[in-house]
Amino acid sequence: MKAVETFELVLLLLSAVVALHALADKLRFPPSAALLVGGGALAFIPGLPPFTLDPELALVLFLPPLLFEGAYYTAFGRFRAHLPGIISLAVGAVIFTTCLVAVAVKWLVPDLPWAACFALGAIVSPPDAVSARAVLQGIRLPRRLQALLEGESLLNDATGLVLFRFAVAATLSGTFHLGEAIGSFALLALGGAVVGVVVGRLSVFLLTKIEDRTLFVTTSTLICWAAYLAGEALHVSGVIATVASGLVVGWYQHVVMPARVRIQGTGFWRTMIFSLEALVFILIGFSLRSVVDRAGGIAEVTATMAVPVLGVLAAMTFARVVWVFGSDALLHAARRLGVRRARPLGASQAGVLAWTGMRGVVTLAVALTLPAAMPGRDLMLITAFAAILMTVIVQGGSLGWLIGRLRPVDGDPPPRMSLPETEAAIAKAKLRAVEAHAYDADGQLIHPQLLEQQRARARASEKYARDADGFMDGIQSHFEVLLLAIAEGRRELIRLHRAGKIEDEVLHDLERDLDLEEVSITFQRGEQLDLR
């Protein structure tokens, strides 16, 4: 394909993204499923040039920013609190699914070597972070369930990739050492975490030295690829390195990122993530044609692969159901034995968790990296694509309906402070700052209206649990004191979050309000906010 044709194809796909996304919103259909189906339909339009999704490029282009953005906004407190459950899903469920799928494939295709069966299991076993985010948009879940799904989607790709690499190596070499595999997995995971933390801390330090907003946003965008490529270059998990760096930068961004940069960066990241997520699904669908052609055409695929593909999909779904409900049964048993830390999900939450697990770009990209000499390669490619289609369209499309029927209840204990209580605490912190600067050196009150306004806001926050809005006209020092008050409120908000008294949603919501207040004052002072 010539360069101009490639560019024209990209423009066509972007136009299709806009049209399909708008149609999905109008029909209240999951956009990810619409893009996947639409991309598959476009692939078979006569006259369009053939398209092959380069697997290595797909992983390095799409995975780092999408994983980083997910980790950046992850509720770290809940992530840490539910880490055992997240590891159970990201490691235990992936390994269990790999083994169960391998047994099913060996039974359905006896001539396929065991190592190749495990390779196919590793391809379809890890749910995808991109698919999970796309399907869960707009769906409200209990906090624990949200933390489990987000954490699982961030970490399980590393497990699947490691299992896949060992299975492929065992297939081609004919040897496999369990102890070596376990040791390598531990090294990859721990090494990736260390690399990610180091890259994240270095990035935070570097960001504190950058004053230009455009350079700040550009530098923050490069962090995800820096972490991923550093991890891969050091032969550890680039996935875990990216997630770890995202968690670190997300934790410190409230301190090192100025308000105007945060607003500008948020707008840029939202646009970039939307474009990448949409392109992922439409490119997966668009690559269907090359996958089917490689396997011999639709008729050949249907005649020779339908039964094993359906068997793999059934085993994959059954494995997740068994793991989720089996783990919850163990938690119930531990609870009855007096283990207070054991908190079962319950049937409703377990049912929702068991039905999630959408596959996406990682599954297809990993399948496309299969060497030509791999036994059953065509079957693996078709199965990977079928797994994506089934999970995104069937499971993702019915997830909202299932949640409505099961009505999972949030069983997590309530936060120590609510949103209205946090607003009142910030109003008090701002009032303290105003009181400290409302008098001159002689003790004379120089900002009586400002002081009364802040007192009124503090009283209103306590009484009505809402923040007073608007600013009074005044002299330059009036705005300076207001900015000092916002800074004090921001410090109080971060202190409450660091003390574990409020949750991340409250932090982000109120930080956005403080950012908007600061930008509003900056505009009033005549300093235009240049977003170019």
Side-chain angles (χ1 to χ4, degrees):
M1 187 183 298
K2 297 180 180 179
V4 175
E5 292 178 337
T6 302
F7 179 68
E8 291 173 347
L9 180 60
V10 171
L11 292 179
L12 172 66
L13 295 179
L14 288 174
S15 301
V17 163
V18 175
L20 290 169
H21 206 285
L23 180 62
D25 288 341
K26 186 175 182 179
L27 299 177
R28 297 185 178 180
F29 191 70
S32 55
L35 292 169
L36 196 60
V37 174
L42 284 174
F44 290 95
I45 294 179
L48 281 181
F51 173 80
T52 301
L53 182 64
D54 184 276
E56 298 295 337
L57 177 61
L59 287 177
V60 76
L61 174 62
F62 293 109
L63 203 56
L66 297 174
L67 285 174
F68 184 87
E69 199 261 353
Y72 184 87
Y73 286 109
T74 292
F76 184 72
R78 290 205 299 268
F79 179 87
R80 182 175 54 190
H82 299 300
L83 188 59
I86 291 172
I87 293 177
S88 170
L89 291 169
V91 179
V94 171
I95 294 175
F96 180 70
T97 303
T98 299
C99 295
L100 195 61
V101 169
V103 172
V105 174
K106 186 64 177 178
W107 179 60
L108 293 168
V109 190
D111 295 336
L112 200 63
W114 270 109
C117 296
F118 277 100
L120 177 53
I123 289 172
V124 300
S125 60
D128 184 63
V130 183
S131 298
R133 284 170 45 84
V135 170
L136 292 174
Q137 285 180 359
I139 297 178
R140 188 172 184 84
L141 292 173
R143 290 169 294 165
R144 182 183 179 187
L145 198 56
Q146 187 82 27
L148 290 174
L149 289 172
E150 289 178 351
E152 176 196 17
S153 66
L154 291 175
L155 300 180
N156 57 14
D157 288 337
T159 306
L161 288 171
V162 171
L163 292 175
F164 171 77
R165 289 170 182 171
F166 274 104
V168 171
T171 304
L172 299 180
S173 66
T175 60
F176 176 75
H177 301 285
L178 180 61
E180 179 183 348
I182 296 174
S184 297
F185 178 78
L187 178 62
L188 289 170
L190 293 176
V194 171
V195 170
V197 170
V198 171
V199 171
R201 293 300 298 267
L202 288 176
S203 301
V204 170
F205 174 78
L206 179 62
L207 290 175
T208 60
K209 306 299 180 182
I210 300 176
E211 297 182 358
D212 184 86
R213 281 172 286 159
T214 303
L215 290 178
F216 196 107
V217 174
T218 304
T219 303
S220 66
T221 306
L222 297 175
I223 297 173
C224 59
W225 283 291
Y228 183 86
L229 293 175
E232 293 298 312
L234 295 174
H235 304 291
V236 296
S237 175
V239 170
I240 293 181
T242 304
V243 171
S245 66
L247 290 172
V248 170
V249 177
W251 179 261
Y252 285 103
Q253 60 100 1
H254 313 289
V255 180
V256 303
M257 190 175 293
R260 290 185 293 177
V261 172
R262 185 178 296 107
I263 292 174
Q264 180 175 342
T266 299
F268 171 79
W269 268 92
R270 284 181 177 176
T271 303
M272 183 179 73
I273 294 301
F274 168 81
S275 302
L276 290 176
E277 285 182 346
L279 281 174
V280 162
F281 287 106
I282 202 165
L283 285 173
I284 290 175
F286 203 72
S287 63
L288 173 62
R289 178 179 170 182
S290 60
V291 173
V292 172
D293 289 344
R294 187 182 294 113
I298 295 178
E300 179 68 17
V301 168
T302 304
T304 61
M305 301 182 187
V307 173
V309 167
L310 291 175
V312 169
L313 297 182
M316 180 183 73
T317 306
F318 179 71
R320 185 170 181 87
V321 172
V322 170
W323 184 268
V324 170
F325 279 96
S327 301
D328 206 50
L330 290 177
L331 291 175
H332 273 289
R335 187 75 174 183
R336 286 194 295 268
L337 292 175
V339 181
R340 294 184 177 181
R341 293 179 61 88
R343 295 176 50 238
L345 288 169
S348 296
Q349 291 197 60
V352 173
L353 185 61
W355 191 240
T356 54
M358 288 65 68
R359 274 61 174 179
V361 62
V362 173
T363 292
L364 184 60
V366 168
L368 290 173
T369 63
L370 286 164
M374 188 73 179
R377 184 175 186 270
D378 291 341
L379 173 62
M380 295 181 188
L381 286 169
I382 294 298
T383 304
F385 199 93
I388 299 170
L389 277 175
M390 191 275 288
T391 55
V392 172
I393 295 176
V394 178
Q395 292 180 242
S398 60
L399 187 59
W401 172 85
L402 181 67
I403 293 173
R405 293 297 298 270
L406 294 179
R407 299 183 183 277
V409 178
D410 195 342
D412 273 13
R416 294 169 62 182
M417 289 183 66
S418 65
L419 176 63
E421 292 171 335
T422 310
E423 287 181 335
I426 294 174
K428 289 181 180 178
K430 293 167 67 176
L431 177 59
R432 289 196 299 268
V434 173
E435 288 176 336
H437 296 84
Y439 299 88
D440 62 13
D442 299 326
Q444 297 294 319
L445 183 63
I446 57 176
H447 298 299
Q449 291 180 316
L450 176 58
L451 182 59
E452 180 57 32
Q453 181 191 44
Q454 290 300 324
R455 285 174 175 170
R457 287 185 175 184
R459 291 193 297 267
S461 295
E462 293 178 353
K463 186 175 181 180
Y464 303 108
R466 62 181 177 84
D467 196 13
D469 204 339
F471 298 95
M472 300 174 60
D473 295 331
I475 57 176
Q476 186 73 10
S477 61
H478 175 90
F479 293 110
E480 295 291 346
V481 175
L482 276 178
L483 290 173
L484 288 171
I486 291 173
E488 184 63 24
R490 194 185 308 279
R491 282 191 288 269
E492 177 67 6
L493 178 63
I494 295 173
R495 187 190 69 79
L496 294 172
H497 178 259
R498 298 300 191 257
K501 294 183 178 181
I502 60 174
E503 300 204 314
D504 287 63
E505 291 85 356
V506 174
L507 171 67
H508 292 306
D509 287 343
L510 296 183
E511 185 176 60
R512 181 197 61 225
D513 293 342
L514 292 173
D515 289 347
L516 292 175
E517 281 190 85
E518 182 176 336
V519 171
S520 176
I521 296 171
T522 303
F523 268 112
Q524 292 180 63
R525 295 174 65 195
E527 298 179 6
Q528 295 184 350
L529 183 60
D530 185 8
L531 295 178
R532 291 176 296 174

